[in-house]
Amino acid sequence: NAGVMQNPRHLVRRRGQEARLRCSPMKGHSHVYWYRQLPEEGLKFMVYLQKENIIDESGMPKERFSAEFPKEGPSILRIQQVVRGDSAAYFCASSLTGQGASYEQYFGPGTRLTVT
Amino acid sequence: GESVGLHLPTLSVQEGDNSIINCAYSNSASDYFIWYKQESGKGPQFIIDIRSNMDKRQGQRVTVLLNKTVKHLSLQIAATQPGDSAVYFCAENMAQGGSEKLVFGKGTKLTVNP
């Protein structure tokens, strides 16, 4: 049973370019969460999605950032017109349910974004 | 604002000793807490969790203690091994408006000396 998969693992973008980060949840999981981690910091919640729905995007910057989790295919975190401050590790997690006994979130290996 | 934080950013122990990593939280309504281990270049790995109706939970070599009175969480690792060297994060589950999300502390870096 494959775990949460993220790609690419490393991504380098110049300022002003777009970054697309992909996350495939664990098999059978329909809840996806994105987190951002700066060096020497903890993970900060960005967005929580279910299939075709954004449940909570309270941690997403108001501009340039968007996320989707289509009916088919992986979840995508998209960052438009990247700036140096976007450089960070972005982690995706998935869970079987959104709450309750099966709520445990499983994390992927992360995508390390570097903006030059 | 409400947050989860840690008292010590680094901890160095000798192999075979017991380790204790502490965490303070401020949201008294949180009902679920988790400890994660993160090795360099990897994603967080679930270690152990505890719900607010418990004050202690044990796993293999690890114990989590929850003191709701002072809003304190701790992770105890018995007979610490070099493979335990990593950054440890506590996280609390925050439920708001039909959504549930994890709020992480900054982490404690554990170094195990052989």
Side-chain angles (χ1 to χ4, degrees), chain B residues 41-111:
Chain B
K42 297 184 178 179
Q45 177 186 358
F46 174 91
I47 300 173
I48 192 168
D49 60 0
I50 189 168
R51 296 203 174 269
S52 59
N53 60 353
M54 303 172 68
D55 53 19
K56 181 179 180 179
R57 189 159 188 232
Q58 287 185 294
Q60 187 176 13
R61 282 202 307 120
V62 294
T63 301
V64 55
L65 299 176
L66 175 62
N67 185 331
K68 293 181 286 294
T69 302
V70 295
K71 297 180 201 168
H72 185 266
L73 194 68
S74 69
L75 176 71
Q76 300 178 0
I77 305 174
T80 314
Q81 303 169 359
D84 295 327
S85 293
V87 178
Y88 290 81
F89 295 95
C90 66
E92 66 178 312
N93 180 51
M94 189 171 291
Q96 284 180 330
S99 171
E100 309 228 3
K101 59 192 176 192
L102 294 177
V103 176
F104 282 79
K106 284 193 174 182
T108 293
K109 184 176 182 180
L110 175 66
T111 301

Side-chain angles (χ1 to χ4, degrees), chain A residues 9 33 35 37 41-43 45 48 56 58 91 98-100 103-105 107-109 112, chain B residues 32 36 38 41-44 46 49 51 89 93 96 98-106:
Chain A
R9 294 293 308 277
Y33 313 79
Y35 295 84
Q37 184 178 35
E41 295 277 337
L43 282 74
F45 169 81
Y48 163 30
D56 182 348
S58 59
F91 290 95
Q99 57 186 303
Y103 172 57
E104 182 183 331
Q105 293 187 21
F107 282 82
R112 277 145 188 85
Chain B
Y32 179 56
Y36 284 94
Q38 187 177 27
K42 297 184 178 179
F46 174 91
D49 60 0
R51 296 203 174 269
F89 295 95
N93 180 51
Q96 284 180 330
S99 171
E100 309 228 3
K101 59 192 176 192
L102 294 177
V103 176
F104 282 79
K106 284 193 174 182

